[in-house]
Amino acid sequence: MEENNVSNGTQLLLKRNIPIKVVVTPLWKKEMQEQLQRQIEATDAQMQQLEFQGKRAIAELEKQSSNPNSPQVLQQVEAVKSRVNEQKIRLLDQKNQLLQQINQLTTLELNQEVLQGNVESFFRVQKGDNLIQKMQVEILLEDGVIKEIRGNP
């Protein structure tokens, strides 16, 4: 917080989160679906890479050991498999969330407003200002263009 003295009293510089809402349009739906599809493909690629790395690590462990069936080597192999499975579960959860988002996207109606994210903004207040009104600001986008700034920017 920064304080500035002005001739009529003290001002403060505060920070607020401003919600970004978007108007659902055919273009927005298409772009969101493509973005989610790219994220799903990236997740699939990560899972394939994880499988490859896990198999390579197991092969390396077995190759370096004089007795690949020793309890110590088997324990290390199981530890690698366990880590790979944990990461695979995390990636599958991530993929399922993305698939759910695609399903939710199909249920949105055109011209509906949906929350897309937030941005931070600084604003000045002084004695006598209505802080609640100054905090209630939002930006509405339509196909990436600011359509409206609501509230008291």
Side-chain angles (χ1 to χ4, degrees), residues 35-47 50 85-104:
Q35 179 183 345
L36 290 168
Q37 196 60 46
R38 283 191 302 273
Q39 290 176 337
I40 288 170
E41 290 166 5
T43 302
D44 286 341
Q46 285 179 322
M47 278 196 282
L50 181 64
N85 283 335
E86 286 172 14
Q87 290 177 348
K88 219 195 280 189
I89 288 169
R90 182 183 55 79
L91 289 170
L92 285 171
D93 285 344
Q94 184 178 330
K95 183 177 178 177
N96 284 334
Q97 288 174 1
L98 292 168
L99 290 168
Q100 286 175 355
Q101 288 177 12
I102 286 177
N103 285 336
Q104 290 169 351

Side-chain angles (χ1 to χ4, degrees), residues 6-146:
V6 291
S7 59
N8 63 351
T10 301
Q11 283 190 346
L12 293 174
L13 185 62
L14 302 176
K15 184 168 61 171
R16 63 184 164 199
N17 281 325
I18 298 179
I20 304 289
K21 290 184 174 180
V22 296
V23 176
V24 176
T25 65
L27 176 62
W28 180 82
K29 279 180 123 173
K30 179 180 177 256
E31 288 175 349
M32 287 302 298
Q33 186 156 3
E34 288 171 356
Q35 179 183 345
L36 290 168
Q37 196 60 46
R38 283 191 302 273
Q39 290 176 337
I40 288 170
E41 290 166 5
T43 302
D44 286 341
Q46 285 179 322
M47 278 196 282
Q48 287 178 341
Q49 181 70 17
L50 181 64
E51 283 284 332
F52 174 75
Q53 289 173 343
K55 287 178 182 176
R56 191 175 69 200
I58 290 170
E60 193 65 31
L61 281 171
E62 291 171 344
K63 184 176 129 182
Q64 288 178 355
S65 173
S66 58
N67 181 7
N69 292 325
S70 73
Q72 183 181 14
V73 171
L74 293 175
Q75 185 178 6
Q76 290 173 332
V77 166
E78 285 305 311
V80 168
K81 286 180 181 178
S82 177
R83 282 195 305 274
V84 166
N85 283 335
E86 286 172 14
Q87 290 177 348
K88 219 195 280 189
I89 288 169
R90 182 183 55 79
L91 289 170
L92 285 171
D93 285 344
Q94 184 178 330
K95 183 177 178 177
N96 284 334
Q97 288 174 1
L98 292 168
L99 290 168
Q100 286 175 355
Q101 288 177 12
I102 286 177
N103 285 336
Q104 290 169 351
L105 190 60
T106 61
T107 65
L108 295 177
E109 296 179 17
L110 295 180
N111 298 317
Q112 180 180 348
E113 294 178 11
V114 294
L115 183 64
Q116 176 110 35
N118 290 297
V119 294
E120 291 184 340
S121 163
F122 289 96
F123 67 105
R124 293 195 184 281
V125 293
Q126 62 187 14
K127 185 176 179 181
D129 285 347
N130 184 325
L131 183 61
I132 293 170
Q133 283 181 349
K134 287 211 174 229
M135 295 292 289
Q136 294 176 337
V137 175
E138 67 183 22
I139 298 172
L140 181 65
L141 302 178
E142 186 170 337
D143 294 334
V145 177
I146 295 175

